Amino acid sequence: MIVDTETIDEFLDRHAGDVEEAVREAAATEIMPRFRRLAAHEVDQKAGPHDLVTDADRLAERYLTERLGALLPGSVVVGEEAVHADPTSYEAIQGDTPVWIVDPVDGTRQFVHGDPGFCTLVALAKNGVLLASWTYAPARDQLATARRGRGAFLNGERLHAGTPDPARDLQVATSHPDYTTDDQKRGLLGLWTDGIAPRPCGSAGLEYLAVARGELDATAFSWEAAWDHAAGLLLVEEAGGTHLTLTGTPFRITGGNTLPFTAARDKATAQRIRTLLAS
C-alpha cells in the first residue's frame, strides 16, 4: 500500500503514462462510440432534467475504477456515479488512503446534445492534497495533465495562465443561477458589474482548462463536488493561477468551503472576483 507522498511521486514517475492510457482507453471504449449515437434508453435523469447520466458515464467510470485501482494497489476510487449510488463512498476523500477522483463524463448535458464540449476528469489525491490530474476532451483531441510542483501541460506543451489584459472586461464562467441557493445567487449577482463579463459555465473541467490556458480569466462556482473541481484546480495552480473561497482560503476538496468560490489566472484576479462574490 502507498504510505507517503514520496512513494506516490515514485509511482507517478513510473505510471503516469499508464494512467493516461487508461483515460484514453475509457473514452475510446465507452464514451466516443456513444457520442452522437445515444439511444433514449441510454440516458437517465438523476436530480432532475439538468442532471443527466448516460450509459457512457456508468461504463467509463466502471472501466476507470478497475484500471486505476489495479495500477495503485491500496488506493480507492471516488467516482461521481458510484457516489450517486452510495453517498457514503464520498467520505474516502477525507481519509489518508490515496484516492482517485473520477468524473467519467464531465459535461454530460453537452455530451447528450452532441456538443464536443465534454471531458473525462481524473485526479489523484492523498490527505486532501491534489498530486496529479488528467483532463481529457476526446472529441477535441485534448489531453491536459498536471503534477504538483511539476507544471501543467496540454498535449505536451506547458501551460501558463498569465495575467488578464487590463484593457478589457474580465471573462468569468459562472454557475447557473437556477442551480444555486438564494445566498449564492446573491453572491453571483455581484459579478454583474462594470469590468466583468460573466457567462454560464459549460463543462467545469474545460472551463478550468481555459483558465490554465489564459483563454478565460476566472470561474465562479457554487458547488463542491470534488469530481468536478479536483483535476482542474490542480491544472490552474500548476499553470500559475490560484483559487479562493469567500473566506479568502483555497478551495478544499475535502469540503466545508464557503461558497461560491473562484479559480483565476492570477492572485489579483482571484481577489477581485472573491470580493465581488462577497459583496
Side-chain angles (χ1 to χ4, degrees):
M1 179 175 175
I2 297 294
V3 294
D4 56 43
T5 300
E6 181 180 1
T7 306
I8 292 178
D9 277 341
E10 293 172 355
F11 162 81
L12 289 168
D13 288 341
R14 296 192 305 272
H15 295 293
D18 296 323
V19 179
E20 176 182 331
E21 180 181 327
V23 172
R24 288 184 180 276
E25 289 184 358
T29 302
E30 305 295 357
I31 298 173
M32 291 308 292
R34 295 176 171 87
F35 182 47
R36 296 174 176 163
R37 299 180 182 89
L38 283 169
H41 69 272
E42 295 180 296
V43 184
D44 295 315
Q45 294 182 13
K46 291 191 287 188
H50 64 282
D51 189 10
L52 302 176
V53 62
T54 72
D55 285 2
D57 296 76
R58 297 187 182 103
L59 294 171
E61 182 169 307
R62 185 184 307 169
Y63 184 99
L64 287 167
T65 297
E66 294 174 357
R67 286 286 301 273
L68 298 174
L71 278 173
L72 183 55
S75 64
V76 296
V77 177
V78 172
E80 178 176 6
E81 308 315 326
V83 172
H84 178 70
D86 177 13
T88 64
S89 64
Y90 194 77
E91 297 169 7
I93 291 176
Q94 300 179 354
D96 60 3
T97 299
V99 57
W100 300 98
I101 303 168
V102 174
D103 190 342
V105 182
D106 179 61
T108 300
R109 185 171 66 254
Q110 286 82 1
F111 178 73
V112 168
H113 292 135
D115 184 323
F118 63 89
C119 59
T120 297
L121 302 174
V122 173
L124 179 61
K126 187 173 185 292
N127 293 324
V129 178
L130 291 165
L131 303 173
S133 77
W134 295 260
T135 299
Y136 182 43
R140 296 178 174 179
D141 193 27
Q142 294 177 326
L143 176 70
T145 61
R147 286 272 304 272
R148 179 156 298 281
R150 302 196 188 187
F153 299 84
L154 175 62
N155 292 346
E157 296 292 325
R158 188 145 194 161
L159 292 173
H160 299 282
T163 301
D165 181 350
R168 63 173 178 80
D169 292 349
L170 289 178
Q171 309 295 306
V172 184
T174 77
S175 297
H176 195 291
D178 288 350
Y179 311 136
T180 59
T181 67
D182 288 343
D183 284 345
Q184 291 168 0
K185 191 181 279 85
R186 281 191 290 271
L188 291 170
L189 286 174
L191 299 177
W192 268 257
T193 188
D194 291 344
I196 309 293
R199 61 163 175 76
C201 73
S203 153
L206 294 182
E207 302 292 14
Y208 283 119
L209 175 57
V211 174
R213 298 180 74 180
E215 297 176 344
L216 178 70
D217 297 318
T219 64
F221 292 149
S222 59
W223 75 96
E224 285 191 295
W227 47 76
D228 285 321
H229 303 304
L233 288 172
L234 185 61
L235 197 65
V236 168
E237 283 186 65
E238 289 299 317
T242 191
H243 47 91
L244 294 174
T245 65
L246 286 189
T247 59
T249 58
F251 182 90
R252 299 182 299 274
I253 61 168
T254 51
N257 298 284
T258 306
L259 304 171
F261 75 99
T262 183
R265 294 172 64 185
D266 61 8
K267 185 176 180 179
T269 303
Q271 291 284 16
R272 183 178 179 189
I273 299 301
R274 185 191 72 84
T275 299
L276 291 171
L277 292 173
S279 61

